[in-house]
Structures are given as structure tokens and as C-alpha cells.
Amino acid sequence: MPGRDLTRRGALGAVGVTCGAAVLGACGSNAPATPAVPPGIKGKVIAKTADIPVGGGKVFDDWKLVVTQPSAGVFKAYTATCPHAGCAVGRVRDGVIECPCHGSQFAIDSGKCVAGPAEAPLVAFPLKVQNDGIVVG
Ligand code: FES
């Protein structure tokens, strides 16, 4: 399956900026338009559940999609497009999805922004598990 395994842990750089609520008092003010499920994958198995590590996730670059498993058996799918300036999120570690461009971080269980400069969350896509397959859309 395509995608990058994003479970490795490393030194987490200092996070100097929190999301809009703490810094700007306007969390969500840069909310993105709701992206559509990437074409070609709606209703198809895109990964096996075993491909998504518990407490981590995987970014699917081709589909601009990130799938996480915040706790055993719970899966989430989000757009991989950062709401700050549109970069692709780069990796998942320590319970957050990280954007490499300016350091925004998003919770793997909700997509909520936990460190800015982004203020809005990652938009979630509907996801279901069919047998051992992950289906988005
Ligand atoms: S584009 Fe993601 S933090 Fe700026």
C-alpha cells in the first residue's frame, strides 16, 4: 500500500506557538473550505488496518490523505492539506500530525489544531472499516 510509515519517534522540537484560541483568541477563523474525498478512492479499500499503527498514522501523498489510529480499533481520516498555507502534512508522531512548513500540529484523534500557526483543524473524511480494510468516503 502506498504511504509513509510515520511511527518513529524522535526528539520533538520546541513548539513555540499554540493555535489561534490561545494566541489570537479566534481559533477556527481560518477554517478551510471542506475538501472532497480524493477522486478515485471513495468507497475503495485504501489500506489494511494493520498498516496504521496504534497511536500513529500514515500519510498517503498521492491522495492528500492522512489516516490515524488514535487508539486500538479507532481509525480517523483527514485531509493532508494543512489549513494554514496549504502544505502537505509530513508525519505523525507523539499523538500529533505535523506540518513541516511552519510547524503546525493537529491531534490524531480529532484533527484539531494543537499548535499553530494554523488555527483551523484538518478536515475529517468519513471512514469505515470493512473486514480488515480501511474505506474512506
Ligand atoms: S502550511 Fe502548515 S503550518 Fe504553515
Side-chain angles (χ1 to χ4, degrees):
M1 294 288 176
R4 291 178 274 136
D5 184 358
L6 303 168
T7 58
R8 68 179 181 274
R9 299 204 175 238
L12 181 63
V15 176
V17 181
T18 59
C19 294
V23 172
L24 302 173
C27 193
S29 64
N30 64 348
T34 301
V37 172
I41 67 166
K42 187 170 184 175
K44 295 182 179 175
V45 174
I46 62 161
K48 299 288 188 187
T49 55
D51 296 336
I52 311 300
V54 176
K58 191 174 248 186
V59 176
F60 295 87
D61 294 320
D62 290 349
W63 304 317
K64 297 181 177 148
L65 181 76
V66 57
V67 176
T68 66
Q69 187 175 186
S71 58
V74 176
F75 295 90
K76 303 283 184 169
Y78 307 101
T79 178
T81 302
C82 179
H84 175 237
C87 289
V89 297
R91 62 182 174 188
V92 183
R93 66 175 177 175
D94 297 331
V96 296
I97 302 161
E98 299 176 336
C99 180
C101 286
H102 310 102
S104 290
Q105 298 180 340
F106 307 89
I108 64 170
D109 62 344
S110 66
K112 182 179 176 183
C113 178
V114 297
E119 297 176 17
L122 294 177
V123 174
F125 294 134
L127 176 152
K128 60 187 171 187
V129 175
Q130 291 180 338
N131 299 315
D132 65 345
I134 292 175
V135 177
V136 175

